[in-house]
Amino acid sequence: SYGGGSTRPLLRTGTSNGAITFGGGGSPPRIDYVAIIGIHFWAHTHDGTVNNFHAMHFLMPGEGLLIEDCKVEQYGSGIVFTPPEDDPLNAVELRRNVVVDSFTTLDFHAQGMFASSIEGLLLEENVFDYNGWNADIPGASANIFRHNIYLSGNNSNDVQVVGNIITRGASHGIQARTGGWVFDNLFARNSISVLISDGVEQGFSALVEENVILDGKNISGTELRGWGINANNADSTIVHRNIVANNVDGDFPRPMDFGANAGDPVLDLEFTDNIFYNWGGSVRFDGAADGFHSVHLARNHIQSDRAQAVLDHAQLPTTFTSADNRLWSEANPLEFIRMNGAMVDLATWQAQVADVGSTREMITYPDPSRSIARYNAEVLGGSASFEAFTDQVRLQSKDFWRAEYTAKQVNDWIRAGFGRELSHIFVDGFESGSVSAWSSTSP
């Protein structure tokens, strides 16, 4: 530590690893109870042409790892966990770190963070911005394999992703391939903000709750996206009280996409109380009818400003129920929902799914056009610019912590524009709204 002040100790690591654990050379078989707090890792000579180096890389098993208040800047991939699959790393916490600007020009999957073989992972109030690509460097382009956060399919299910700001990923904001709890995060300008599962492992649960997702973007000129939440082959999943709003830059929009097949079905899905507003595209159930089992839609607002179907069933599931949804688009009322490849009106769809109480209804919200740029101007008194906000977010630190630049305060302001407040509830054992302050180990 430098002592007082808000400047972190700076490690200029060039194109070498900043901190790494690996076996050999007399190393013990595992490394337990380590805290890395308040360090700035900067790959200051990185130009995209060097492969496989990271701010932090953990290859060994262990227990009790805390990474807090670190800044990770300009690596190939920022923070990487790859312990042995049969001897994982246990109880890992990343709290209030800033991880930005990971990129490469090589055939390499650049990420802000990559994690595999972890049991018990917490990501709390971190900033992940502009990872996986750099539009100003030739060859450092976005593709489908580069993300802000990639949590692989061999992590345990007890993942908690709470209160993070996750913006401008090359492709995904987060891939949470074994589910977990994704709660009250702010996503903006990702090509796909949230992915839960991908048929990697059945039997997990996921709760995606109270997140705010704004705008989308394409991955590239040929890989068009703009997706909010993507749930593939998910088991025992709740998608609850999220806001997905105001897509501008994604040219192939889907506010919510469920993918399934008979071998890897979507099971026991509760899709409730979400608001999808002016995103474009349809809430899509993409797969055969026998790929969806026990799916329930209730009290959702799906409100589109475009002449498109609000719901799209590739094949209508037989165990699908619906109640009290408020549905609107500019589409012809006779072409309001796509069902088994045909456009139908609301009444035809309701008869097929035994819907109770859903209506074709435009809802008037108090101020639904709220954005990060407007928050920066109207609440913080800065310029009306997304970039002006993220410039300040990148300055967050233990000694310069400003609550007004956290996901919770931005999300509360966005929610108020839709007449919503954060709901502190218990769902299937998950406790909502439990974000803590600085850890007890902090100096």
Side-chain angles (χ1 to χ4, degrees):
S1 173
Y2 288 150
S6 60
T7 302
R8 298 176 177 93
L10 174 63
L11 301 183
R12 302 174 185 241
T13 70
T15 54
S16 298
N17 290 296
I20 186 168
T21 68
F22 60 92
S27 172
R30 54 188 291 124
I31 297 176
D32 299 321
Y33 306 113
V34 174
I36 302 175
I37 298 175
I39 306 295
H40 184 175
F41 296 86
W42 179 29
H44 67 294
T45 62
H46 177 45
D47 62 3
T49 62
V50 177
N51 200 353
N52 200 31
F53 75 103
H54 318 291
M56 289 173 258
H57 191 183
F58 302 92
L59 294 97
M60 293 188 66
E63 181 176 2
L65 173 63
L66 171 68
I67 302 172
E68 182 176 85
D69 187 36
C70 291
K71 186 169 185 177
V72 171
E73 183 177 5
Q74 202 173 310
Y75 285 80
S77 287
I79 303 175
V80 176
F81 302 89
T82 55
E85 289 191 29
D86 60 351
D87 198 359
L89 189 57
N90 297 293
V92 176
E93 298 184 4
L94 280 79
R95 308 186 63 256
R96 292 186 172 178
N97 302 286
V98 176
V99 182
V100 297
D101 300 339
S102 299
F103 72 95
T104 183
T105 63
L106 304 175
D107 186 16
F108 169 68
H109 301 337
Q111 323 285 347
M113 172 183 168
F114 175 85
S116 68
S117 300
I118 295 179
E119 293 189 357
L121 173 63
L122 170 67
L123 302 178
E124 184 177 45
E125 291 193 330
N126 302 283
V127 174
F128 288 87
D129 180 45
Y130 200 50
N131 288 295
W133 64 307
N134 189 319
D136 297 324
I137 295 179
S141 55
N143 64 41
I144 192 62
F145 303 108
R146 299 174 175 178
H147 316 296
N148 265 316
I149 304 169
Y150 189 136
L151 309 181
S152 78
N154 62 352
N155 295 296
S156 65
N157 176 237
D158 52 350
V159 172
Q160 299 179 65
V161 182
V162 180
N164 301 277
I165 293 176
I166 304 172
T167 50
R168 296 190 293 186
S171 178
H172 291 65
I174 186 169
Q175 289 201 4
R177 287 182 172 264
T178 50
W181 184 35
V182 182
F183 171 73
D184 198 20
N185 302 282
L186 172 63
F187 296 89
R189 298 192 182 182
N190 300 289
S191 301
I192 302 171
S193 282
V194 181
L195 169 73
I196 50 175
S197 181
D198 198 19
V200 176
E201 178 180 326
Q202 291 295 311
F204 67 89
S205 61
L207 171 56
V208 181
E209 178 194 23
E210 295 280 13
N211 300 283
V212 170
I213 298 173
L214 303 175
D215 204 355
K217 69 172 184 64
N218 301 320
I219 299 172
S220 67
T222 58
E223 295 176 295
L224 306 182
R225 290 296 188 276
W227 297 6
I229 304 171
N230 182 204
N232 293 334
N233 319 117
D235 188 349
S236 302
T237 292
I238 299 170
V239 180
H240 178 67
R241 287 183 62 88
N242 302 282
I243 294 174
V244 181
N246 298 315
N247 171 54
V248 176
D249 297 314
D251 293 324
F252 183 36
R254 292 180 180 178
M256 179 82 225
D257 183 90
F258 299 97
N261 56 61
D264 292 305
V266 169
L267 305 173
D268 299 320
L269 169 67
E270 293 286 332
F271 182 58
T272 55
D273 299 289
N274 301 284
I275 295 175
F276 298 115
Y277 178 82
N278 287 357
W279 190 268
S282 309
V283 172
R284 181 168 171 79
F285 297 86
D286 191 5
D290 58 1
F292 294 90
H293 300 273
S294 299
V295 177
H296 181 58
L297 270 69
R299 303 177 303 278
N300 300 287
H301 296 180
I302 305 175
Q303 302 277 307
S304 177
D305 60 347
R306 309 185 194 188
Q308 297 171 313
V310 292
L311 298 172
D312 185 351
H313 299 277
Q315 294 183 16
L316 190 65
T318 56
T319 55
F320 183 99
T321 58
S322 173
D324 299 320
N325 300 286
R326 302 292 178 257
L327 310 174
W328 177 261
S329 82
E330 297 295 327
N332 184 318
L334 299 177
E335 299 178 341
F336 193 56
I337 294 173
R338 185 185 298 274
M339 189 173 66
N340 301 332
M343 303 297 289
V344 301
D345 62 7
L346 178 61
T348 300
W349 175 78
Q350 287 179 294
Q352 290 293 315
V353 301
D355 175 85
V356 177
S358 294
T359 60
R360 183 176 181 269
E361 175 184 352
M362 179 187 286
I363 298 177
T364 300
Y365 299 105
D367 189 7
S369 67
R370 292 184 174 188
S371 65
I372 290 174
R374 282 186 57 194
Y375 176 84
N376 201 63
E378 297 173 22
V379 178
L380 303 182
S383 62
S385 163
F386 175 92
E387 291 77 13
F389 175 81
T390 55
D391 286 347
Q392 289 297 311
V393 164
R394 287 167 170 241
L395 300 177
Q396 292 281 73
S397 74
K398 180 173 66 68
D399 295 313
F400 190 52
W401 185 257
R402 296 158 296 165
E404 62 269 27
Y405 288 99
T406 61
K408 182 184 184 307
Q409 292 213 7
V410 181
N411 289 354
D412 284 347
W413 187 75
I414 298 293
R415 276 188 282 261
F418 289 92
R420 283 272 177 97
E421 295 181 353
L422 182 67
S423 176
H424 294 259
I425 61 172
F426 290 85
V427 180
D428 281 6
F430 294 99
E431 181 185 355
S432 302
S434 63
V435 179
S436 57
W438 293 100
S439 72
S440 60
T441 58
S442 297

mmCIF file of all heavy atoms in Angstrom, residues 142-176:
data_model
loop_
_atom_site.group_PDB
_atom_site.id
_atom_site.type_symbol
_atom_site.label_atom_id
_atom_site.label_comp_id
_atom_site.label_asym_id
_atom_site.label_seq_id
_atom_site.Cartn_x
_atom_site.Cartn_y
_atom_site.Cartn_z
ATOM 1 N N ALA A 142 -14.759 -7.652 -32.051
ATOM 2 C CA ALA A 142 -15.666 -8.478 -31.264
ATOM 3 C C ALA A 142 -16.024 -9.741 -32.038
ATOM 4 O O ALA A 142 -16.116 -9.724 -33.271
ATOM 5 C CB ALA A 142 -16.929 -7.684 -30.940
ATOM 6 N N ASN A 143 -16.229 -10.841 -31.310
ATOM 7 C CA ASN A 143 -16.822 -12.031 -31.902
ATOM 8 C C ASN A 143 -17.609 -12.774 -30.830
ATOM 9 O O ASN A 143 -17.629 -12.379 -29.662
ATOM 10 C CB ASN A 143 -15.773 -12.925 -32.573
ATOM 11 C CG ASN A 143 -14.746 -13.502 -31.610
ATOM 12 O OD1 ASN A 143 -15.082 -13.918 -30.502
ATOM 13 N ND2 ASN A 143 -13.488 -13.524 -32.037
ATOM 14 N N ILE A 144 -18.230 -13.873 -31.213
ATOM 15 C CA ILE A 144 -19.159 -14.572 -30.330
ATOM 16 C C ILE A 144 -18.457 -15.227 -29.156
ATOM 17 O O ILE A 144 -19.097 -15.663 -28.189
ATOM 18 C CB ILE A 144 -19.965 -15.601 -31.139
ATOM 19 C CG1 ILE A 144 -21.158 -16.160 -30.349
ATOM 20 C CG2 ILE A 144 -19.067 -16.736 -31.616
ATOM 21 C CD1 ILE A 144 -22.182 -15.116 -29.967
ATOM 22 N N PHE A 145 -17.135 -15.318 -29.159
ATOM 23 C CA PHE A 145 -16.389 -16.004 -28.109
ATOM 24 C C PHE A 145 -15.768 -15.052 -27.081
ATOM 25 O O PHE A 145 -15.051 -15.503 -26.185
ATOM 26 C CB PHE A 145 -15.282 -16.855 -28.724
ATOM 27 C CG PHE A 145 -15.783 -17.865 -29.708
ATOM 28 C CD1 PHE A 145 -15.554 -17.693 -31.062
ATOM 29 C CD2 PHE A 145 -16.490 -18.973 -29.288
ATOM 30 C CE1 PHE A 145 -16.013 -18.623 -31.976
ATOM 31 C CE2 PHE A 145 -16.960 -19.905 -30.196
ATOM 32 C CZ PHE A 145 -16.719 -19.731 -31.550
ATOM 33 N N ARG A 146 -16.000 -13.764 -27.194
ATOM 34 C CA ARG A 146 -15.349 -12.777 -26.340
ATOM 35 C C ARG A 146 -16.397 -12.035 -25.512
ATOM 36 O O ARG A 146 -17.358 -11.513 -26.053
ATOM 37 C CB ARG A 146 -14.532 -11.801 -27.193
ATOM 38 C CG ARG A 146 -13.437 -12.503 -27.985
ATOM 39 C CD ARG A 146 -12.703 -11.595 -28.948
ATOM 40 N NE ARG A 146 -11.597 -12.309 -29.588
ATOM 41 C CZ ARG A 146 -10.783 -11.791 -30.514
ATOM 42 N NH1 ARG A 146 -10.940 -10.526 -30.892
ATOM 43 N NH2 ARG A 146 -9.818 -12.511 -31.030
ATOM 44 N N HIS A 147 -16.161 -11.970 -24.193
ATOM 45 C CA HIS A 147 -17.214 -11.517 -23.290
ATOM 46 C C HIS A 147 -16.651 -10.670 -22.150
ATOM 47 O O HIS A 147 -15.447 -10.660 -21.898
ATOM 48 C CB HIS A 147 -17.938 -12.728 -22.692
ATOM 49 C CG HIS A 147 -18.259 -13.800 -23.676
ATOM 50 N ND1 HIS A 147 -19.128 -13.605 -24.731
ATOM 51 C CD2 HIS A 147 -17.813 -15.082 -23.787
ATOM 52 C CE1 HIS A 147 -19.215 -14.721 -25.441
ATOM 53 N NE2 HIS A 147 -18.422 -15.626 -24.895
ATOM 54 N N ASN A 148 -17.565 -10.008 -21.436
ATOM 55 C CA ASN A 148 -17.183 -9.397 -20.164
ATOM 56 C C ASN A 148 -16.884 -10.470 -19.121
ATOM 57 O O ASN A 148 -15.846 -10.453 -18.474
ATOM 58 C CB ASN A 148 -18.293 -8.472 -19.663
ATOM 59 C CG ASN A 148 -18.091 -7.016 -20.055
ATOM 60 O OD1 ASN A 148 -16.996 -6.476 -19.958
ATOM 61 N ND2 ASN A 148 -19.158 -6.368 -20.497
ATOM 62 N N ILE A 149 -17.818 -11.418 -18.936
ATOM 63 C CA ILE A 149 -17.678 -12.464 -17.925
ATOM 64 C C ILE A 149 -18.096 -13.793 -18.528
ATOM 65 O O ILE A 149 -19.198 -13.904 -19.081
ATOM 66 C CB ILE A 149 -18.545 -12.177 -16.678
ATOM 67 C CG1 ILE A 149 -18.229 -10.811 -16.081
ATOM 68 C CG2 ILE A 149 -18.364 -13.275 -15.627
ATOM 69 C CD1 ILE A 149 -19.228 -10.369 -15.019
ATOM 70 N N TYR A 150 -17.254 -14.812 -18.403
ATOM 71 C CA TYR A 150 -17.570 -16.163 -18.862
ATOM 72 C C TYR A 150 -17.400 -17.111 -17.686
ATOM 73 O O TYR A 150 -16.288 -17.344 -17.223
ATOM 74 C CB TYR A 150 -16.641 -16.562 -20.011
ATOM 75 C CG TYR A 150 -16.992 -17.860 -20.724
ATOM 76 C CD1 TYR A 150 -16.959 -17.932 -22.107
ATOM 77 C CD2 TYR A 150 -17.328 -19.012 -20.027
ATOM 78 C CE1 TYR A 150 -17.272 -19.103 -22.777
ATOM 79 C CE2 TYR A 150 -17.648 -20.187 -20.677
ATOM 80 C CZ TYR A 150 -17.617 -20.227 -22.054
ATOM 81 O OH TYR A 150 -17.918 -21.392 -22.701
ATOM 82 N N LEU A 151 -18.517 -17.656 -17.179
ATOM 83 C CA LEU A 151 -18.509 -18.659 -16.120
ATOM 84 C C LEU A 151 -18.855 -19.989 -16.763
ATOM 85 O O LEU A 151 -19.989 -20.206 -17.199
ATOM 86 C CB LEU A 151 -19.527 -18.299 -15.031
ATOM 87 C CG LEU A 151 -19.432 -16.870 -14.466
ATOM 88 C CD1 LEU A 151 -20.480 -16.661 -13.374
ATOM 89 C CD2 LEU A 151 -18.031 -16.584 -13.941
ATOM 90 N N SER A 152 -17.894 -20.881 -16.842
ATOM 91 C CA SER A 152 -18.049 -22.099 -17.637
ATOM 92 C C SER A 152 -18.998 -23.086 -16.969
ATOM 93 O O SER A 152 -19.410 -22.919 -15.816
ATOM 94 C CB SER A 152 -16.687 -22.756 -17.873
ATOM 95 O OG SER A 152 -16.260 -23.454 -16.721
ATOM 96 N N GLY A 153 -19.290 -24.158 -17.703
ATOM 97 C CA GLY A 153 -20.271 -25.122 -17.247
ATOM 98 C C GLY A 153 -19.800 -26.069 -16.173
ATOM 99 O O GLY A 153 -20.606 -26.883 -15.694
ATOM 100 N N ASN A 154 -18.537 -26.010 -15.771
ATOM 101 C CA ASN A 154 -18.093 -26.915 -14.707
ATOM 102 C C ASN A 154 -17.852 -26.196 -13.385
ATOM 103 O O ASN A 154 -17.174 -26.721 -12.504
ATOM 104 C CB ASN A 154 -16.844 -27.701 -15.133
ATOM 105 C CG ASN A 154 -15.650 -26.809 -15.415
ATOM 106 O OD1 ASN A 154 -15.774 -25.587 -15.447
ATOM 107 N ND2 ASN A 154 -14.492 -27.409 -15.621
ATOM 108 N N ASN A 155 -18.410 -25.005 -13.224
ATOM 109 C CA ASN A 155 -18.498 -24.398 -11.897
ATOM 110 C C ASN A 155 -19.703 -24.989 -11.162
ATOM 111 O O ASN A 155 -20.631 -25.518 -11.782
ATOM 112 C CB ASN A 155 -18.658 -22.883 -12.003
ATOM 113 C CG ASN A 155 -17.456 -22.209 -12.616
ATOM 114 O OD1 ASN A 155 -16.362 -22.231 -12.063
ATOM 115 N ND2 ASN A 155 -17.638 -21.607 -13.788
ATOM 116 N N SER A 156 -19.705 -24.874 -9.850
ATOM 117 C CA SER A 156 -20.888 -25.300 -9.101
ATOM 118 C C SER A 156 -22.010 -24.286 -9.298
ATOM 119 O O SER A 156 -21.807 -23.174 -9.788
ATOM 120 C CB SER A 156 -20.552 -25.452 -7.616
ATOM 121 O OG SER A 156 -20.207 -24.200 -7.050
ATOM 122 N N ASN A 157 -23.201 -24.683 -8.890
ATOM 123 C CA ASN A 157 -24.376 -23.852 -9.111
ATOM 124 C C ASN A 157 -24.484 -22.679 -8.137
ATOM 125 O O ASN A 157 -25.235 -21.736 -8.383
ATOM 126 C CB ASN A 157 -25.636 -24.721 -9.003
ATOM 127 C CG ASN A 157 -26.924 -23.937 -9.125
ATOM 128 O OD1 ASN A 157 -27.755 -23.981 -8.228
ATOM 129 N ND2 ASN A 157 -27.091 -23.218 -10.222
ATOM 130 N N ASP A 158 -23.732 -22.690 -7.032
ATOM 131 C CA ASP A 158 -23.889 -21.645 -6.023
ATOM 132 C C ASP A 158 -23.102 -20.388 -6.389
ATOM 133 O O ASP A 158 -22.283 -19.891 -5.628
ATOM 134 C CB ASP A 158 -23.506 -22.163 -4.638
ATOM 135 C CG ASP A 158 -22.132 -22.815 -4.595
ATOM 136 O OD1 ASP A 158 -21.555 -23.043 -5.665
ATOM 137 O OD2 ASP A 158 -21.646 -23.101 -3.489
ATOM 138 N N VAL A 159 -23.399 -19.878 -7.586
ATOM 139 C CA VAL A 159 -22.834 -18.630 -8.080
ATOM 140 C C VAL A 159 -23.772 -17.492 -7.685
ATOM 141 O O VAL A 159 -24.997 -17.618 -7.819
ATOM 142 C CB VAL A 159 -22.671 -18.674 -9.615
ATOM 143 C CG1 VAL A 159 -22.261 -17.317 -10.159
ATOM 144 C CG2 VAL A 159 -21.671 -19.755 -10.018
ATOM 145 N N GLN A 160 -23.202 -16.382 -7.213
ATOM 146 C CA GLN A 160 -23.990 -15.191 -6.919
ATOM 147 C C GLN A 160 -23.379 -14.007 -7.666
ATOM 148 O O GLN A 160 -22.198 -13.696 -7.478
ATOM 149 C CB GLN A 160 -24.002 -14.902 -5.416
ATOM 150 C CG GLN A 160 -24.605 -16.012 -4.582
ATOM 151 C CD GLN A 160 -24.577 -15.681 -3.106
ATOM 152 O OE1 GLN A 160 -25.242 -14.742 -2.656
ATOM 153 N NE2 GLN A 160 -23.794 -16.424 -2.348
ATOM 154 N N VAL A 161 -24.181 -13.372 -8.495
ATOM 155 C CA VAL A 161 -23.747 -12.210 -9.282
ATOM 156 C C VAL A 161 -24.680 -11.077 -8.881
ATOM 157 O O VAL A 161 -25.832 -11.013 -9.310
ATOM 158 C CB VAL A 161 -23.818 -12.503 -10.793
ATOM 159 C CG1 VAL A 161 -23.319 -11.309 -11.594
ATOM 160 C CG2 VAL A 161 -23.018 -13.767 -11.141
ATOM 161 N N VAL A 162 -24.191 -10.172 -8.037
ATOM 162 C CA VAL A 162 -25.057 -9.238 -7.324
ATOM 163 C C VAL A 162 -24.524 -7.809 -7.452
ATOM 164 O O VAL A 162 -23.380 -7.519 -7.100
ATOM 165 C CB VAL A 162 -25.142 -9.619 -5.827
ATOM 166 C CG1 VAL A 162 -26.048 -8.644 -5.083
ATOM 167 C CG2 VAL A 162 -25.638 -11.043 -5.653
ATOM 168 N N GLY A 163 -25.346 -6.911 -7.997
ATOM 169 C CA GLY A 163 -25.051 -5.484 -7.934
ATOM 170 C C GLY A 163 -23.892 -5.023 -8.786
ATOM 171 O O GLY A 163 -23.284 -3.992 -8.485
ATOM 172 N N ASN A 164 -23.566 -5.736 -9.863
ATOM 173 C CA ASN A 164 -22.457 -5.351 -10.728
ATOM 174 C C ASN A 164 -22.918 -4.429 -11.862
ATOM 175 O O ASN A 164 -24.073 -4.449 -12.270
ATOM 176 C CB ASN A 164 -21.817 -6.600 -11.340
ATOM 177 C CG ASN A 164 -21.303 -7.563 -10.290
ATOM 178 O OD1 ASN A 164 -20.219 -7.416 -9.776
ATOM 179 N ND2 ASN A 164 -22.123 -8.568 -9.965
ATOM 180 N N ILE A 165 -21.984 -3.639 -12.373
ATOM 181 C CA ILE A 165 -22.188 -2.879 -13.611
ATOM 182 C C ILE A 165 -21.425 -3.610 -14.707
ATOM 183 O O ILE A 165 -20.206 -3.788 -14.616
ATOM 184 C CB ILE A 165 -21.703 -1.433 -13.467
ATOM 185 C CG1 ILE A 165 -22.580 -0.679 -12.469
ATOM 186 C CG2 ILE A 165 -21.696 -0.719 -14.823
ATOM 187 C CD1 ILE A 165 -22.115 0.750 -12.189
ATOM 188 N N ILE A 166 -22.151 -4.056 -15.744
ATOM 189 C CA ILE A 166 -21.590 -4.918 -16.782
ATOM 190 C C ILE A 166 -21.978 -4.327 -18.132
ATOM 191 O O ILE A 166 -23.145 -4.428 -18.549
ATOM 192 C CB ILE A 166 -22.091 -6.360 -16.629
ATOM 193 C CG1 ILE A 166 -21.762 -6.896 -15.223
ATOM 194 C CG2 ILE A 166 -21.484 -7.258 -17.703
ATOM 195 C CD1 ILE A 166 -22.382 -8.244 -14.899
ATOM 196 N N THR A 167 -21.015 -3.696 -18.804
ATOM 197 C CA THR A 167 -21.339 -2.889 -19.980
ATOM 198 C C THR A 167 -20.353 -3.132 -21.119
ATOM 199 O O THR A 167 -19.188 -3.435 -20.900
ATOM 200 C CB THR A 167 -21.316 -1.388 -19.619
ATOM 201 O OG1 THR A 167 -20.093 -1.077 -18.944
ATOM 202 C CG2 THR A 167 -22.473 -1.029 -18.697
ATOM 203 N N ARG A 168 -20.845 -2.995 -22.328
ATOM 204 C CA ARG A 168 -20.062 -2.948 -23.569
ATOM 205 C C ARG A 168 -19.181 -4.181 -23.772
ATOM 206 O O ARG A 168 -18.053 -4.079 -24.248
ATOM 207 C CB ARG A 168 -19.214 -1.672 -23.620
ATOM 208 C CG ARG A 168 -20.045 -0.395 -23.654
ATOM 209 C CD ARG A 168 -19.201 0.821 -23.945
ATOM 210 N NE ARG A 168 -18.266 1.134 -22.876
ATOM 211 C CZ ARG A 168 -17.499 2.222 -22.844
ATOM 212 N NH1 ARG A 168 -17.551 3.094 -23.845
ATOM 213 N NH2 ARG A 168 -16.689 2.451 -21.825
ATOM 214 N N GLY A 169 -19.671 -5.374 -23.428
ATOM 215 C CA GLY A 169 -18.925 -6.587 -23.727
ATOM 216 C C GLY A 169 -18.881 -6.843 -25.221
ATOM 217 O O GLY A 169 -19.794 -6.462 -25.971
ATOM 218 N N ALA A 170 -17.808 -7.505 -25.679
ATOM 219 C CA ALA A 170 -17.708 -7.826 -27.105
ATOM 220 C C ALA A 170 -18.938 -8.601 -27.568
ATOM 221 O O ALA A 170 -19.537 -8.288 -28.599
ATOM 222 C CB ALA A 170 -16.441 -8.632 -27.367
ATOM 223 N N SER A 171 -19.322 -9.598 -26.801
ATOM 224 C CA SER A 171 -20.540 -10.350 -27.087
ATOM 225 C C SER A 171 -21.439 -10.339 -25.850
ATOM 226 O O SER A 171 -22.273 -9.465 -25.695
ATOM 227 C CB SER A 171 -20.200 -11.784 -27.514
ATOM 228 O OG SER A 171 -21.387 -12.523 -27.755
ATOM 229 N N HIS A 172 -21.223 -11.274 -24.921
ATOM 230 C CA HIS A 172 -22.091 -11.385 -23.759
ATOM 231 C C HIS A 172 -21.626 -10.478 -22.616
ATOM 232 O O HIS A 172 -20.427 -10.297 -22.410
ATOM 233 C CB HIS A 172 -22.102 -12.817 -23.240
ATOM 234 C CG HIS A 172 -22.781 -13.795 -24.156
ATOM 235 N ND1 HIS A 172 -22.297 -14.105 -25.408
ATOM 236 C CD2 HIS A 172 -23.906 -14.533 -23.987
ATOM 237 C CE1 HIS A 172 -23.095 -15.000 -25.971
ATOM 238 N NE2 HIS A 172 -24.078 -15.271 -25.137
ATOM 239 N N GLY A 173 -22.603 -9.971 -21.877
ATOM 240 C CA GLY A 173 -22.281 -9.369 -20.594
ATOM 241 C C GLY A 173 -21.819 -10.433 -19.626
ATOM 242 O O GLY A 173 -20.753 -10.341 -19.037
ATOM 243 N N ILE A 174 -22.634 -11.479 -19.470
ATOM 244 C CA ILE A 174 -22.244 -12.619 -18.651
ATOM 245 C C ILE A 174 -22.799 -13.899 -19.245
ATOM 246 O O ILE A 174 -23.959 -13.947 -19.683
ATOM 247 C CB ILE A 174 -22.714 -12.473 -17.180
ATOM 248 C CG1 ILE A 174 -22.166 -13.624 -16.323
ATOM 249 C CG2 ILE A 174 -24.214 -12.377 -17.070
ATOM 250 C CD1 ILE A 174 -22.341 -13.437 -14.839
ATOM 251 N N GLN A 175 -21.965 -14.925 -19.292
ATOM 252 C CA GLN A 175 -22.415 -16.288 -19.523
ATOM 253 C C GLN A 175 -22.341 -17.017 -18.189
ATOM 254 O O GLN A 175 -21.261 -17.270 -17.672
ATOM 255 C CB GLN A 175 -21.538 -16.995 -20.555
ATOM 256 C CG GLN A 175 -21.705 -16.485 -21.968
ATOM 257 C CD GLN A 175 -21.233 -17.489 -23.009
ATOM 258 O OE1 GLN A 175 -20.848 -18.608 -22.696
ATOM 259 N NE2 GLN A 175 -21.255 -17.082 -24.265
ATOM 260 N N ALA A 176 -23.493 -17.343 -17.640
ATOM 261 C CA ALA A 176 -23.574 -18.096 -16.384
ATOM 262 C C ALA A 176 -24.093 -19.485 -16.732
ATOM 263 O O ALA A 176 -25.287 -19.769 -16.637
ATOM 264 C CB ALA A 176 -24.487 -17.392 -15.391
#
